[in-house]
Amino acid sequence: MKKRSGPSLRKEKRPLKRCPQCNGRGVVKPMFYELPCDYCGHSGMVCKETGEPLAEDELRLQLTIRLREQREENAKLRQQLADVMADRNDRGYGAAGARYHGD
């Protein structure tokens, strides 16, 4: 059954960009010392479409979504590496199965 009206059942990933004031660092350095960036709320990220800072709850949710995606991608890459290493069965043998001893 498809939902036809009302808010979405799942939170969507919103496009983010670096804060133009602090260049994504979350802090600004006016003269000699660093101060928290008031524009982006110390996060370094703003909405790409509007340029407005995100609310703390929304920012936490968006960063959690991105973190989950990165973890899934890392798990896939680890599995691919494990598959390649298992197929390789590398034991240090050279051409024609001879070992190189450095002589």
Side-chain angles (χ1 to χ4, degrees), residues 3 6-7 14 22 32 37 54-56 68 74 80 97 100:
K3 188 170 182 194
R14 293 176 60 181
C22 65
F32 299 110
C37 179
L54 297 174
E56 193 172 313
R68 186 179 333 116
N74 286 347
Q80 289 175 358
Y100 176 71

Side-chain angles (χ1 to χ4, degrees), residues 82-97:
D83 293 343
V84 167
M85 294 305 286
D87 291 343
R88 193 171 163 190
N89 196 11
D90 189 14
R91 294 187 181 170
Y93 294 109

Side-chain angles (χ1 to χ4, degrees), residues 26 31 39 73-74 77:
M31 200 62 153
Y39 183 74
E73 183 179 344
N74 286 347
L77 291 173

Side-chain angles (χ1 to χ4, degrees), residues 33-54:
Y33 49 91
E34 294 181 340
L35 296 172
C37 179
D38 292 330
Y39 183 74
C40 63
H42 322 294
S43 67
M45 304 301 281
V46 295
C47 181
K48 187 174 186 176
E49 298 163 346
T50 63
E52 295 292 319
L54 297 174

Side-chain angles (χ1 to χ4, degrees), residues 56-69:
E56 193 172 313
D57 311 355
E58 183 68 20
L59 180 65
R60 187 179 314 119
L61 178 68
Q62 294 299 318
L63 293 177
T64 302
I65 290 170
R66 283 165 173 73
L67 180 62
R68 186 179 333 116
E69 287 176 353

